[in-house]
Amino acid sequence: MTIVVIGKSGQLAQELKLLDDSLLCLGRDDIDITSAESVNSILSNNNVTGIINASAYTAVDKAESERQQAFEINAAAVENLAKYANQNAVPLVHVSTDYVFCGDKGSPYQVDDKLEPIGVYGASKAEGERVLLQYATKHSCIIRTSWVYSQFGNNFVKTMLRLMAEKPELGIIDDQIGSPTSASALAKVCLYAVNHNVNGVHHFTDTGVCSWYDFALAIQELGVKNGILDKSIPVKPISTSAYPTPAKRPSYSVLDKSSLQLAFDGLELKHWRVELSDVIHQLTSTK
């Protein structure tokens, strides 16, 4: 039995490998997911019994000028994986995003709420969901998540720790609201889904809600407490309008996790502050 993880260098793939070193992680040099021929050949040769798609084009701002590249990875490649999964009756777990919603609802998004992306990245991920459900409805699980971070790769937590060590003060956006998600916790959900052939669309984040400003304050507090940071610096709340970016962000993207709690038996959901503390401890040991 071979469970394949599409993606090798990303933070989710690395967390998945820590959980189960029998997973076969395939990177760009191993498989071209934009090619149906490559997907069919490589996956068939490895006798795949499950697929976790942890690969994505995630450069939100660059996507505004690289639409074709974003859609190739986030939609066309997903179609190739979906067709393979359907033809071979193999469970496929696909990770999606809160960016498929516009962010103006003001209450947690349900799994069946209308998809209204406000940028190219979100639109490409929404199209990936559409083709997956079109071609592999009975063999797929979509897990939407948000604000993912870990001890690996580049993410908000590691960026904040670096800037807090370098800068005399920071301004962090306080009018975008969501839920942070530890890639370690997300990896456990993905593994459960592929091993238990969970079907449908579900939302997963760590529990609790915050702004990027709240998140940054918690990162600094734990960074100082654990000796990653020598001291605290002033962190000031700023509005989104004061920090313009090429791509617009959802102002409110909290995801309702009700369906996930029903479909994933015995799943333990932890508050984002608990998961953040665990990741800070991991970073402390590698400092």
Side-chain angles (χ1 to χ4, degrees), residues 22 27 83 87 98 106 109 155 160 172 174-175 184 193 200 245 251 263:
S22 72
K83 288 180 176 177
Q87 291 165 2
D98 56 325
Y109 280 93
N155 54 66
M160 286 297 101
I172 306 296
D174 73 340
D175 57 358
S184 175
T245 55
S251 60

Side-chain angles (χ1 to χ4, degrees), residues 103-109 252:
D104 65 1
K105 184 182 178 184
S107 61
Y109 280 93
Y252 183 94

Side-chain angles (χ1 to χ4, degrees), residues 213-230:
Y213 172 73
D214 299 325
F215 196 18
L217 290 181
I219 293 165
Q220 176 163 255
E221 177 187 335
L222 289 167
V224 172
K225 181 180 179 180
N226 287 276
I228 296 179
L229 298 173
D230 294 330

Side-chain angles (χ1 to χ4, degrees), residues 143-182:
I143 300 174
R144 296 191 189 117
T145 190
S146 65
W147 298 22
V148 179
Y149 69 94
S150 73
Q151 62 179 311
F152 301 111
N154 298 315
N155 54 66
F156 185 77
V157 172
K158 294 175 74 174
T159 297
M160 286 297 101
L161 290 171
R162 176 177 57 81
L163 292 177
M164 287 166 176
E166 297 173 353
K167 304 289 185 180
E169 66 176 40
L170 289 176
I172 306 296
I173 290 171
D174 73 340
D175 57 358
Q176 292 176 23
I177 308 299
S179 298
T181 306
S182 162

Side-chain angles (χ1 to χ4, degrees), residues 218-286:
I219 293 165
Q220 176 163 255
E221 177 187 335
L222 289 167
V224 172
K225 181 180 179 180
N226 287 276
I228 296 179
L229 298 173
D230 294 330
K231 65 180 188 306
S232 296
I233 63 169
V235 179
K236 301 178 179 179
I238 62 173
S239 66
T240 298
S241 60
Y243 189 76
T245 55
K248 187 178 179 182
R249 268 70 172 168
S251 60
Y252 183 94
S253 60
V254 178
L255 302 175
D256 181 273
K257 295 177 279 290
S258 300
S259 73
L260 180 118
Q261 290 174 290
L262 291 173
F264 290 68
D265 185 46
L267 177 66
E268 180 185 5
L269 298 176
K270 295 182 181 179
H271 195 277
W272 66 264
R273 287 181 177 271
V274 174
E275 293 287 358
L276 175 61
S277 181
D278 288 346
V279 171
I280 295 292
H281 280 301
Q282 291 166 349
L283 291 172
T284 302
S285 65
T286 59

